[in-house]
Amino acid sequence: MFDDTAGYFYENIIETYNNYIRERKRPSGRFRHTRSAIELASALFHFREHLPKVHAQSRSDVEAACVDYRLIADAVNAAKHRVLNRVTPKGQPLIDSADRITECLVVISYIDDLGKYTDSSTSVTIECTDGTRRDFDEALINVLNYWISYLELKDIVSIPPFPARARPGAEFVSREAAKPPNMEVMRGVRWKQAMMLMAFNPETGCAEPIDLAGGEVQLNIYEPLKTIEIDATDEDSGQTVQISLDLTDEESSRVSKADTETERNLVMDSILDGRKNEIYEKIREAQLADEASKGTSNRLK
């Protein structure tokens, strides 16, 4: 994989980027987003070392052309060494400790005709030594697109630039597209979760941080609903049977997204209506099993 610059870019950089996109969509709480972001940053940082000599660039050259290259370089070294205390070509590092890299669960409140609902996503931010807070996800895409433009300039490969990731709350998210907070915890391992609560302002067209001064935040964690227990009564015989209906992951997610009991009931009704043939079959099986059981009981008497 190291014999061709274009091939290396596709097989190492682009594949690492694809994995980063996949991991960004997974549950928060176990730093998958951060790990994949660091892996992509490392690939982007070290890519210049794989350029042919005729196209070689120093770290200073790249930083002069793409300011975010400095940020990802310091992030990679901080993640590797935990603490940075040596100067870089630009002076003191922007990140002096890996602790400055934070994965945050962003929860944004929206309002539509049906009332309030929330959308959530994760974001990796860096608290820099110069007092600024930088969006690491944004920097990664900027450096990736820099290398794409550089390779095209040198007639090595031509790839369309990747779209910048919209910052959480930068645009309105509909109720149908909204995602509930999705967190994962491993038993016996410390759980650390940074959260940012925001509310979408329709007048400005973007979300704004919620002032929590003097307030309290309560976090309720519920186990996803996996099974529905149904009591079904036959109108003719009056016989009642109980059946269990296992939900798919998609159905369970739809139930979890419901913000009110009314919404939850509507979702449940929709699921039951869509699987009514399966429900009728389960009811019939339960009735037959009950009749067989009664017949055995009568013979024993």
Side-chain angles (χ1 to χ4, degrees):
M1 66 180 293
F2 303 102
D3 60 335
D4 177 79
T5 303
Y8 180 84
F9 191 78
Y10 276 110
E11 295 161 3
N12 190 56
I13 306 296
I14 299 301
E15 282 304 306
T16 305
Y17 168 80
N18 290 336
N19 181 66
Y20 158 76
I21 293 297
R22 287 191 295 268
E23 293 297 315
R24 212 169 64 182
K25 298 176 182 178
R26 296 184 66 188
S28 61
R30 295 183 61 188
F31 299 99
R32 294 187 179 95
H33 187 156
T34 302
R35 279 197 306 277
S36 61
I38 294 296
E39 289 171 359
L40 177 58
S42 180
L44 292 169
F45 172 49
H46 292 292
F47 178 64
R48 67 179 182 82
E49 300 166 10
H50 294 271
L51 291 171
K53 288 185 178 181
V54 67
H55 300 313
Q57 284 197 307
S58 67
R59 173 171 170 172
S60 296
D61 291 335
V62 183
E63 287 180 353
C66 178
V67 294
D68 283 328
Y69 187 79
R70 180 187 178 193
L71 181 69
I72 72 160
D74 289 347
V76 168
N77 287 323
K80 179 179 179 180
H81 302 288
R82 188 172 182 178
V83 175
L84 296 184
N85 48 29
R86 292 196 300 178
V87 296
T88 71
K90 289 287 187 178
Q92 292 297 324
L94 289 173
I95 310 168
D96 57 10
S97 170
D99 293 339
R100 290 182 177 270
I101 304 172
T102 304
E103 181 173 316
C104 184
L105 177 64
V106 184
V107 181
I108 303 174
S109 173
Y110 295 87
I111 299 177
D112 63 7
D113 294 338
L114 297 177
K116 287 186 177 182
Y117 63 96
T118 59
D119 176 56
S120 66
S121 61
T122 57
S123 182
V124 180
T125 60
I126 297 177
E127 184 182 349
C128 297
T129 53
D130 62 6
T132 62
R133 181 176 290 276
R134 303 280 294 278
D135 187 320
F136 196 38
D137 295 298
E138 181 179 299
L140 289 171
I141 303 302
N142 289 341
V143 177
L144 174 61
N145 284 333
Y146 165 74
W147 283 127
I148 287 174
S149 64
Y150 184 77
L151 293 178
E152 184 170 13
L153 179 66
K154 300 302 180 181
D155 293 324
I156 295 175
V157 67
S158 180
I159 304 174
F162 285 81
R165 178 191 185 228
R167 292 188 180 184
E171 56 189 23
F172 181 80
V173 176
S174 68
R175 181 181 293 270
E176 292 73 22
K179 301 176 291 298
N182 192 4
M183 293 178 283
E184 186 175 281
V185 182
M186 178 178 287
R187 186 187 301 275
V189 177
R190 68 93 177 88
W191 183 63
K192 181 180 180 181
Q193 180 69 69
M195 297 184 67
M196 178 181 291
L197 304 181
M198 307 179 75
F200 187 80
N201 186 339
E203 294 183 359
T204 61
C206 62
E208 301 169 352
I210 297 175
D211 184 4
L212 298 176
E216 293 184 357
V217 175
Q218 181 176 341
L219 177 64
N220 296 319
I221 301 177
Y222 302 96
E223 183 177 353
L225 183 65
K226 294 295 185 182
T227 304
I228 301 177
E229 301 291 341
I230 303 172
D231 290 325
T233 301
D234 187 289
E235 294 182 356
D236 296 328
S237 65
Q239 179 186 12
T240 298
V241 295
Q242 185 179 72
I243 64 171
S244 296
L245 187 68
D246 293 330
L247 299 182
T248 65
D249 290 342
E250 186 273 335
E251 290 169 339
S252 179
S253 176
R254 287 172 57 196
V255 175
S256 299
K257 285 183 178 181
D259 290 327
T260 66
E261 191 65 25
T262 299
E263 290 178 32
R264 182 185 175 90
N265 290 335
L266 288 173
V267 171
M268 297 281 278
D269 289 343
S270 174
I271 292 172
L272 296 178
D273 184 63
R275 298 177 63 179
K276 58 186 177 182
N277 290 336
E278 179 184 350
I279 293 172
Y280 292 151
E281 184 63 30
K282 283 181 174 288
I283 292 173
R284 182 57 182 159
E285 290 174 359
Q287 288 175 330
L288 292 174
D290 185 58
E291 291 171 2
S293 174
K294 289 179 179 178
T296 301
S297 175
N298 291 331
R299 287 196 297 271
L300 291 176
K301 291 179 180 179

